[in-house]
Amino acid sequence: MSASTPPPAPCPCGRRDRREKPFTYALCCGRYLDDFDITPAPDAESLMRSRYTAFVNERADYLLATWAQGHRPSQVTFEPGVKWLGLDVRSRSVLDADHAEVEFVARQRDAAGVATRLHERSRFVREEERWYYVDGTRY
């Protein structure tokens, strides 16, 4: 990397390595978002993190593709001017080989500058070796 080349951007999901250095987008959620057909998220937490990153990057295609059938909306819209501020994974639970839950808090600020928190326990299902978001309970 030359002196004029900026360092790779950290992944919006905030995942860090064992030394507490942030993973880059390409090494974290980017591989799932940008190569969905070949590289599915390996577990429910990785899928949840990649879906957060998809909201940050307004990737409706990825959000719809990773929503479980029967729960998938016809479209995803994004509120103009929303800035996502961070993600905190509170807990993860593997219920069995094909079901898991992830509790998280995502922070955002709307176009008017009002900050809000989305606190949810999301449910995931694995079908044909891929994880999908089913639904969630908000707190």
Side-chain angles (χ1 to χ4, degrees), residues 29-80:
C29 296
R31 58 190 162 159
Y32 311 130
L33 273 84
D34 298 338
D35 203 11
F36 174 75
D37 291 334
I38 298 170
T39 311
D43 53 53
E45 180 183 352
S46 296
L47 180 62
M48 190 280 308
R49 287 179 175 279
S50 67
R51 286 177 55 83
Y52 170 84
T53 298
F55 274 104
V56 171
N57 294 330
E58 296 188 354
R59 291 281 308 270
D61 61 326
Y62 184 79
L63 292 167
L64 290 170
T66 58
W67 224 306
Q69 283 197 331
H71 297 272
R72 183 179 301 145
S74 60
Q75 66 180 4
V76 174
T77 57
F78 301 99
E79 186 180 330

